[in-house]
PDB file of all heavy atoms in Angstrom:
ATOM      1  N   ASP A  20      84.818  75.139 194.801  1.00  0.00           N
ATOM      2  CA  ASP A  20      85.235  76.111 193.796  1.00  0.00           C
ATOM      3  C   ASP A  20      85.840  77.355 194.462  1.00  0.00           C
ATOM      4  O   ASP A  20      86.898  77.847 194.044  1.00  0.00           O
ATOM      5  CB  ASP A  20      84.031  76.490 192.933  1.00  0.00           C
ATOM      6  CG  ASP A  20      84.434  77.272 191.693  1.00  0.00           C
ATOM      7  OD1 ASP A  20      84.903  76.661 190.731  1.00  0.00           O
ATOM      8  OD2 ASP A  20      84.275  78.518 191.693  1.00  0.00           O
ATOM      9  N   LEU A  21      85.186  77.842 195.502  1.00  0.00           N
ATOM     10  CA  LEU A  21      85.687  79.025 196.210  1.00  0.00           C
ATOM     11  C   LEU A  21      87.025  78.747 196.880  1.00  0.00           C
ATOM     12  O   LEU A  21      87.936  79.587 196.859  1.00  0.00           O
ATOM     13  CB  LEU A  21      84.668  79.461 197.276  1.00  0.00           C
ATOM     14  CG  LEU A  21      83.528  80.362 196.810  1.00  0.00           C
ATOM     15  CD1 LEU A  21      82.555  80.585 197.958  1.00  0.00           C
ATOM     16  CD2 LEU A  21      84.057  81.701 196.310  1.00  0.00           C
ATOM     17  N   MET A  22      87.143  77.575 197.479  1.00  0.00           N
ATOM     18  CA  MET A  22      88.381  77.226 198.171  1.00  0.00           C
ATOM     19  C   MET A  22      89.559  77.156 197.196  1.00  0.00           C
ATOM     20  O   MET A  22      90.638  77.676 197.472  1.00  0.00           O
ATOM     21  CB  MET A  22      88.211  75.896 198.910  1.00  0.00           C
ATOM     22  CG  MET A  22      87.228  75.980 200.068  1.00  0.00           C
ATOM     23  SD  MET A  22      86.739  74.350 200.690  1.00  0.00           S
ATOM     24  CE  MET A  22      88.221  73.884 201.586  1.00  0.00           C
ATOM     25  N   VAL A  23      89.330  76.529 196.054  1.00  0.00           N
ATOM     26  CA  VAL A  23      90.390  76.426 195.051  1.00  0.00           C
ATOM     27  C   VAL A  23      90.802  77.821 194.575  1.00  0.00           C
ATOM     28  O   VAL A  23      91.998  78.117 194.431  1.00  0.00           O
ATOM     29  CB  VAL A  23      89.929  75.550 193.868  1.00  0.00           C
ATOM     30  CG1 VAL A  23      90.916  75.629 192.717  1.00  0.00           C
ATOM     31  CG2 VAL A  23      89.764  74.095 194.317  1.00  0.00           C
ATOM     32  N   LYS A  24      89.810  78.683 194.376  1.00  0.00           N
ATOM     33  CA  LYS A  24      90.108  80.040 193.922  1.00  0.00           C
ATOM     34  C   LYS A  24      90.884  80.844 194.963  1.00  0.00           C
ATOM     35  O   LYS A  24      91.628  81.763 194.620  1.00  0.00           O
ATOM     36  CB  LYS A  24      88.808  80.761 193.552  1.00  0.00           C
ATOM     37  CG  LYS A  24      88.220  80.273 192.232  1.00  0.00           C
ATOM     38  CD  LYS A  24      86.866  80.892 191.950  1.00  0.00           C
ATOM     39  CE  LYS A  24      86.333  80.406 190.593  1.00  0.00           C
ATOM     40  NZ  LYS A  24      84.924  80.829 190.363  1.00  0.00           N
ATOM     41  N   LYS A  25      90.704  80.484 196.228  1.00  0.00           N
ATOM     42  CA  LYS A  25      91.424  81.173 197.310  1.00  0.00           C
ATOM     43  C   LYS A  25      92.800  80.561 197.568  1.00  0.00           C
ATOM     44  O   LYS A  25      93.518  80.988 198.465  1.00  0.00           O
ATOM     45  CB  LYS A  25      90.597  81.128 198.595  1.00  0.00           C
ATOM     46  CG  LYS A  25      89.375  82.029 198.564  1.00  0.00           C
ATOM     47  CD  LYS A  25      88.613  81.925 199.874  1.00  0.00           C
ATOM     48  CE  LYS A  25      87.386  82.840 199.855  1.00  0.00           C
ATOM     49  NZ  LYS A  25      86.605  82.699 201.110  1.00  0.00           N
ATOM     50  N   GLY A  26      93.146  79.525 196.801  1.00  0.00           N
ATOM     51  CA  GLY A  26      94.453  78.918 196.953  1.00  0.00           C
ATOM     52  C   GLY A  26      94.544  77.879 198.055  1.00  0.00           C
ATOM     53  O   GLY A  26      95.637  77.513 198.484  1.00  0.00           O
ATOM     54  N   ILE A  27      93.394  77.401 198.526  1.00  0.00           N
ATOM     55  CA  ILE A  27      93.370  76.353 199.546  1.00  0.00           C
ATOM     56  C   ILE A  27      93.448  74.995 198.858  1.00  0.00           C
ATOM     57  O   ILE A  27      92.732  74.736 197.889  1.00  0.00           O
ATOM     58  CB  ILE A  27      92.083  76.450 200.403  1.00  0.00           C
ATOM     59  CG1 ILE A  27      92.043  77.791 201.126  1.00  0.00           C
ATOM     60  CG2 ILE A  27      91.994  75.285 201.383  1.00  0.00           C
ATOM     61  CD1 ILE A  27      90.712  78.111 201.769  1.00  0.00           C
ATOM     62  N   LYS A  28      94.296  74.123 199.337  1.00  0.00           N
ATOM     63  CA  LYS A  28      94.447  72.786 198.762  1.00  0.00           C
ATOM     64  C   LYS A  28      93.448  71.848 199.431  1.00  0.00           C
ATOM     65  O   LYS A  28      93.537  71.564 200.619  1.00  0.00           O
ATOM     66  CB  LYS A  28      95.871  72.277 198.996  1.00  0.00           C
ATOM     67  CG  LYS A  28      96.131  70.879 198.460  1.00  0.00           C
ATOM     68  CD  LYS A  28      96.304  70.862 196.955  1.00  0.00           C
ATOM     69  CE  LYS A  28      96.966  69.600 196.446  1.00  0.00           C
ATOM     70  NZ  LYS A  28      96.259  68.361 196.699  1.00  0.00           N
ATOM     71  N   VAL A  29      92.460  71.394 198.650  1.00  0.00           N
ATOM     72  CA  VAL A  29      91.483  70.440 199.166  1.00  0.00           C
ATOM     73  C   VAL A  29      92.065  69.038 198.981  1.00  0.00           C
ATOM     74  O   VAL A  29      92.156  68.529 197.869  1.00  0.00           O
ATOM     75  CB  VAL A  29      90.123  70.588 198.456  1.00  0.00           C
ATOM     76  CG1 VAL A  29      89.129  69.556 198.985  1.00  0.00           C
ATOM     77  CG2 VAL A  29      89.577  72.006 198.662  1.00  0.00           C
ATOM     78  N   GLU A  30      92.479  68.448 200.085  1.00  0.00           N
ATOM     79  CA  GLU A  30      93.192  67.174 200.047  1.00  0.00           C
ATOM     80  C   GLU A  30      92.268  65.977 199.891  1.00  0.00           C
ATOM     81  O   GLU A  30      92.652  64.957 199.302  1.00  0.00           O
ATOM     82  CB  GLU A  30      94.022  67.010 201.331  1.00  0.00           C
ATOM     83  CG  GLU A  30      95.147  68.022 201.467  1.00  0.00           C
ATOM     84  CD  GLU A  30      96.326  67.688 200.567  1.00  0.00           C
ATOM     85  OE1 GLU A  30      96.329  66.611 199.955  1.00  0.00           O
ATOM     86  OE2 GLU A  30      97.253  68.519 200.474  1.00  0.00           O
ATOM     87  N   CYS A  31      91.057  66.078 200.436  1.00  0.00           N
ATOM     88  CA  CYS A  31      90.131  64.947 200.340  1.00  0.00           C
ATOM     89  C   CYS A  31      88.703  65.412 200.554  1.00  0.00           C
ATOM     90  O   CYS A  31      88.446  66.485 201.122  1.00  0.00           O
ATOM     91  CB  CYS A  31      90.488  63.860 201.352  1.00  0.00           C
ATOM     92  SG  CYS A  31      90.367  64.375 203.081  1.00  0.00           S
TER      93      CYS A  31
END
Side-chain angles (χ1 to χ4, degrees):
D20 192 78
L21 275 175
M22 293 167 75
V23 170
K24 286 174 178 172
K25 288 180 179 178
I27 299 168
K28 179 76 163 62
V29 178
E30 294 284 352
C31 63

